[in-house]
Amino acid sequence: MSITGIISEYNPFHNGHKYLIKKHKEKFPDSYFIAVMSGNFTQRGETALVNKWQRAKLAVANGIDLVIELPFVFTVRSAQYFAKGGIDLLQKLHCVDSICFGSEYTNEKELTFIAQTAQSEKFQQLLKTNLSDGQSYAATTSKILSNLTGISENILKAPNAILGIEYLKANLNYPQPLQVNIIQRVKAEHNDLNYQENFASGTAIRHSLYTNNNNFSKLKQVVPTETFSLLQQTHQKQDLPHLDYLFTTLISKLRLAKLEELTKIYGIREGLEYKLLKAANEATDLADFYQQLKSKRYPLTNLQRLCLYLLLNITKEMIQTFDDTGVLYARILAFNDKGTQIIKQMKKNASIPIITKTTSYLDSKKRCQQKLTTFEEMLAIDTYATELYNLCFKPFKPYGQDFTTSPYYLQR
């Protein structure tokens, strides 16, 4: 059995994702697919368009055999930690042979060279020096790597190439790295807001739905049937999540917070706590709150993630512990018949528990206890993230979904 891992968001699952699976299968026709997918919040700190079980179900209906959730503490982080968490999870299953991803640039040799350079001592020294001057991580990284490798900075700034380099970096740190297959990204660019014949980026699809500027006949051309049906139904019911609904909760938390508590939160540094308190006292809505805080050093994505850390009480100490342990479990969201075969392999070989029923490891009563193991704390944060996500709807979604929702099984 040859098993390929794909680290994904599927927000939502569209024709570009289906194309990636198809192209990999042309080269490796016997491949089984595991998708390691973000939960209810995405890497950029945004609400997913539909919940993690719905997105996993769409993936399994369209070529993925098994979907596993990437824990929140690795998902809602910079590209470096998102990639590191995904690769770590795949490696700990001890049954995955390869990883497949799409990129604007597909020269594996050059991307690997960039990844190796990014792990060199010289790069780390230059990065530390430049970041201390107040430059953003992404811009600084691409500039330094371009200077060190002679490879165009435009390549290093391409969103999927950036993520691909991070996958390669993480993969190189293991004694037996996964094989790599890089698929050329076609037509729709990552941040392109236009539909391109049968393809559109997830960004374009989300933008059209949230701005009520959606042409459903066009949408039907760029997503699989199952995705189209779910998105049309969601749009008609006006059942899309909005981070804005958390604004009052966020402001309340900040206005009642003590400075000492704020400085412990992951992502708060360099006196940002004072700016947060000022913005909390003056902002009229979430967009205004972000606007007051936004800078070259703190772009919107960082602020979105930071607000989630605040609401979930995620501290620097906790993140350090999680980074030291890596991913501690594989939590299954959806699978098909082939997926059942993969699960058997995982249960036989994996070095981490395979979770199909959350309450076997954690329930709502235990979650409230002060002393949890690191494993339980990581899992508790995933479940609290769902509670937070369900407050992003009007009316609110039900409490405790992680304890009552079973993995979806698609039987052919």
Side-chain angles (χ1 to χ4, degrees):
M1 184 190 300
S2 175
I3 301 174
T4 297
I6 297 175
I7 302 168
S8 60
E9 300 241 68
Y10 295 149
N11 187 35
F13 192 100
H14 53 66
N15 286 352
H17 298 129
K18 203 163 184 175
Y19 175 84
L20 182 80
I21 295 167
K22 178 190 168 192
K23 295 306 286 184
H24 185 79
K25 279 225 166 191
E26 285 175 4
K27 195 171 179 181
F28 306 100
D30 298 326
S31 289
Y32 286 38
F33 289 96
I34 294 178
V36 173
M37 190 187 79
S38 56
N40 287 324
F41 290 97
T42 68
Q43 188 260 335
R44 292 175 60 84
E46 297 170 338
T47 50
L49 202 55
V50 293
N51 75 42
K52 58 191 178 185
W53 294 285
Q54 291 172 307
R55 289 175 13 254
K57 183 177 179 180
L58 294 177
V60 167
N62 287 282
I64 296 297
D65 302 307
L66 173 67
V67 181
I68 298 172
E69 181 178 0
L70 180 63
F72 178 96
V73 296
F74 297 102
T75 291
V76 187
R77 302 277 298 280
S78 65
Q80 175 186 356
Y81 295 102
F82 178 85
K84 191 176 178 182
I87 295 291
D88 187 49
L89 204 166
L90 290 171
Q91 284 280 359
K92 285 176 176 174
L93 298 178
H94 295 294
C95 64
V96 179
D97 309 296
S98 62
I99 179 172
C100 172
F101 60 87
S103 175
E104 300 87 348
Y105 186 68
T106 60
N107 187 318
E108 185 184 341
K109 188 177 178 181
E110 288 198 356
L111 287 177
T112 301
F113 175 51
I114 295 166
Q116 289 168 335
T117 304
Q119 293 181 311
S120 68
E121 191 176 330
K122 188 172 183 181
F123 169 80
Q124 295 302 328
Q125 288 173 346
L126 288 168
L127 181 65
K128 190 176 180 180
T129 303
N130 283 271
L131 286 179
S132 64
D133 292 338
Q135 298 178 47
S136 73
Y137 178 84
T140 305
T141 298
S142 59
K143 187 175 181 180
I144 295 169
L145 285 174
S146 180
N147 288 336
L148 291 176
T149 62
I151 294 168
S152 169
E153 201 173 336
N154 290 332
I155 291 168
L156 297 164
K157 283 181 176 177
N160 290 89
I162 290 169
L163 203 48
I165 291 164
E166 295 298 343
Y167 292 146
L168 293 171
K169 274 171 61 181
N171 194 38
L172 288 169
N173 287 328
Y174 289 87
Q176 292 184 304
L178 303 173
Q179 292 177 16
V180 176
N181 185 25
I182 307 172
I183 307 294
Q184 178 69 56
R185 193 177 171 94
V186 294
K187 293 185 181 178
E189 296 297 322
H190 178 76
N191 291 316
D192 188 352
L193 296 181
N194 298 310
Y195 287 16
Q196 307 285 343
E197 298 176 17
N198 295 328
F199 292 92
S201 67
T203 305
I205 295 166
R206 294 190 299 274
H207 181 264
S208 62
L209 287 167
Y210 273 106
T211 55
N212 289 315
N213 189 30
N214 197 59
N215 183 326
F216 279 98
S217 63
K218 283 188 176 180
L219 177 64
K220 197 170 189 177
Q221 294 174 22
V222 299
V223 297
T225 305
E226 296 84 358
T227 301
F228 176 76
S229 298
L230 179 60
L231 293 184
Q232 187 178 43
Q233 182 183 14
T234 301
H235 190 265
Q236 286 170 349
K237 288 182 177 179
Q238 296 185 323
D239 197 27
L240 292 169
H242 293 268
L243 273 174
D244 306 55
Y245 295 156
L246 297 177
F247 177 66
T248 303
T249 308
L250 176 65
I251 297 305
S252 301
K253 178 139 192 167
L254 282 168
R255 289 187 179 184
L256 298 174
K258 297 186 186 300
L259 277 171
E260 187 184 354
E261 294 170 353
L262 288 179
T263 56
K264 292 178 182 177
I265 297 296
Y266 180 67
I268 295 181
R269 61 188 188 276
E270 301 165 341
L272 183 60
E273 63 271 19
Y274 295 102
K275 292 181 180 179
L276 282 164
L277 292 178
K278 185 174 183 292
N281 292 335
E282 297 175 357
T284 54
D285 56 29
L286 193 59
D288 184 29
F289 179 77
Y290 289 146
Q291 190 58 43
Q292 291 192 36
L293 293 166
K294 208 162 63 167
S295 67
K296 188 182 284 188
R297 194 66 180 268
Y298 294 102
L300 179 60
T301 299
N302 290 36
L303 296 172
Q304 287 174 166
R305 290 194 287 245
L306 176 59
C307 288
L308 295 178
Y309 306 150
L310 275 162
L311 290 167
L312 293 168
N313 290 315
I314 297 176
T315 66
K316 296 167 186 171
E317 185 181 356
M318 290 163 68
I319 290 293
Q320 185 59 61
T321 301
F322 297 140
D323 284 346
D324 289 343
T325 63
V327 178
L328 294 174
Y329 50 82
R331 189 167 175 226
I332 295 171
L333 297 176
F335 60 99
N336 60 18
D337 291 332
K338 285 184 176 179
T340 59
Q341 296 176 49
I342 301 174
I343 293 168
K344 286 177 186 175
Q345 287 287 325
M346 283 167 28
K347 286 182 175 178
K348 201 184 298 181
N349 301 324
S351 57
I352 52 176
I354 309 301
I355 300 179
T356 53
K357 188 177 181 183
T358 305
T359 50
S360 298
Y361 297 88
L362 185 78
D363 57 31
S364 57
K365 186 177 178 182
K366 190 174 187 181
R367 181 175 68 173
C368 296
Q369 295 174 6
Q370 284 197 348
K371 289 196 174 181
L372 295 176
T373 65
T374 305
F375 170 94
E376 290 166 343
E377 191 73 65
M378 189 181 288
L379 185 55
I381 290 170
D382 288 348
T383 66
Y384 280 129
T386 298
E387 310 299 2
L388 200 61
Y389 177 78
N390 285 343
L391 295 177
C392 295
F393 295 84
K394 284 193 177 178
F396 300 154
K397 297 293 182 184
Y399 171 84
Q401 279 187 328
D402 280 290
F403 306 118
T404 57
T405 308
S406 300
Y408 171 74
Y409 172 42
L410 177 65
Q411 192 171 11
R412 294 293 188 187

